[in-house]
Amino acid sequence: MTRPPGAPRRLPRALAIAAACLILAPPLGRAVQDRGVPGYLKRLSLPGAGDRLRQPLAVHADLHAGEIFVCDRLNHRIVIFDERGLYAYEIRGGGVFSTPIDVAVDPDGLIVLLAYRGTERTLMRLDFDGRPLGTFALSGLPEGSREPRPISIALAPDGSRLYVLDEENFRLWIADRDGRVSGSFDLLTGLNERQARDQILGQVDAYGDVVLVGLPMLGAVQLLGPDGGSLGLIGIKGTGVCQMAFPVSAALDMEGNVVVLDRQRTLMTVWTTSDRRCTGEISGIGRRPGLLYQPADLALDARGRIYVSQGFEGRVQVFEHRAGAAGPESRALVAPR
């Protein structure tokens, strides 16, 4: 379309996540239903009366153009909103792709998409207008690696590296934009046999020179340097205030704070990277505007807007944060731990 101006095998990821959330999730609307929601701004909406998002489970903020990309899975399209949160245009799948899973955009507008072609998950590139530039696969994997099963992708803010989260090998692969692997991080490092067996991966995100991977079953977010070196974990496992029960996605702001989306607690927590301390919570469980139910992904833009997607009722909601996202110029915001 043309743009207008080594781990043991486990249960399938979707079944494992559903089981964990059903066990842990509180009744819809409990406790915070009557509470105000500081920071809530709006819900992204489409202009057509009969048009709506269906399973918008991944959201990406383009820090360069200010646009917001939403993977609308059941409608087989990517919907793009401008920096004001207004509908701009969309990229429809059909013969090119179906069921978009995750998306990332580089400074030149190149779109990298993880989606289905037929029955297979595929990495592909699209140009600035959404025209297909071809598919590609990860290459140069270490000997003995199983065929990757990507579940989430991210691009370094300067576009130099592609990060692919692989639930088959439980690794984060680091590659160039053609898929040539230059390094990786084993996400089972330091876990005992039971922890490794029960592990589930969330989303991968990249802000500044920091890569963030949600580790829901550990109640933590793994922080990594651009080449995959560990910067330590952030988070405290639990269901109490300022704890993480099932963290799935995270973003880093320009002041060095990490915003974490917790699917089970249905809210966001904010953590400092200097002393790994929680400084507050945003939102809660419910159906009213500003509340969440089974949230799936978040993104932070350069103006300090947080976008949270959820499949339930097809919502992408916008919240105000105190600082914009860490961009390509942000360096050394997180010290190794």
Side-chain angles (χ1 to χ4, degrees), residues 216 218-221 234-248 260-271 276-282:
L218 295 183
V221 173
I234 199 166
I236 300 171
K237 177 70 173 176
T239 58
V241 174
C242 269
Q243 295 179 337
M244 295 188 196
F246 204 84
V248 291
V260 181
L261 180 65
D262 191 323
R263 181 173 299 174
Q264 188 268 314
R265 295 195 62 222
T266 62
L267 48 68
M268 291 164 278
T269 50
V270 182
W271 301 75
R276 270 42 174 195
R277 179 174 57 89
C278 175
T279 61
E281 298 185 342
I282 305 169

Side-chain angles (χ1 to χ4, degrees), residues 16-47:
I17 290 175
C21 289
L22 285 174
I23 291 169
L24 296 171
L28 177 60
R30 192 181 79 184
V32 298
Q33 188 71 287
D34 297 325
R35 190 175 70 194
V37 187
Y40 173 69
L41 295 176
K42 61 186 287 186
R43 174 177 174 174
L44 298 184
S45 60
L46 299 171

Side-chain angles (χ1 to χ4, degrees), residues 49-101:
D51 198 3
R52 64 184 181 90
L53 299 171
R54 298 174 63 214
Q55 277 204 7
L57 297 185
V59 59
H60 171 73
D62 179 357
L63 301 184
H64 310 279
E67 294 175 326
I68 308 304
F69 289 68
V70 178
C71 289
D72 188 8
R73 292 196 187 189
L74 293 186
N75 283 322
H76 308 292
R77 63 181 176 176
I78 305 166
V79 183
I80 296 92
F81 298 85
D82 67 18
E83 62 181 9
R84 299 166 295 171
L86 301 177
Y87 172 86
Y89 67 112
E90 62 188 60
I91 302 169
R92 291 195 168 272
V96 177
F97 66 84
S98 66
T99 318
I101 298 168

Side-chain angles (χ1 to χ4, degrees), residues 2 8 17 19 29 34 42 48 73 90 154 164-165 175-176 198 200-201 229 234-235 305 310:
T2 301
I17 290 175
D34 297 325
K42 61 186 287 186
R73 292 196 187 189
E90 62 188 60
V164 180
L165 196 58
D176 64 17
D198 295 340
I200 294 172
L201 299 180
I234 199 166
R305 301 287 195 266
Q310 65 178 50

Side-chain angles (χ1 to χ4, degrees), residues 39 48 62 66 103 111 114 164 169 178 185 212 227 229 235 238-239 257 261 280 285 287 297 321:
D62 179 357
V103 65
I111 300 168
L114 172 61
V164 180
N169 294 284
D178 292 321
F185 181 80
L212 309 96
D227 295 317
T239 58
N257 301 298
L261 180 65
I285 188 170
R287 297 181 66 172
D297 194 15
H321 183 56

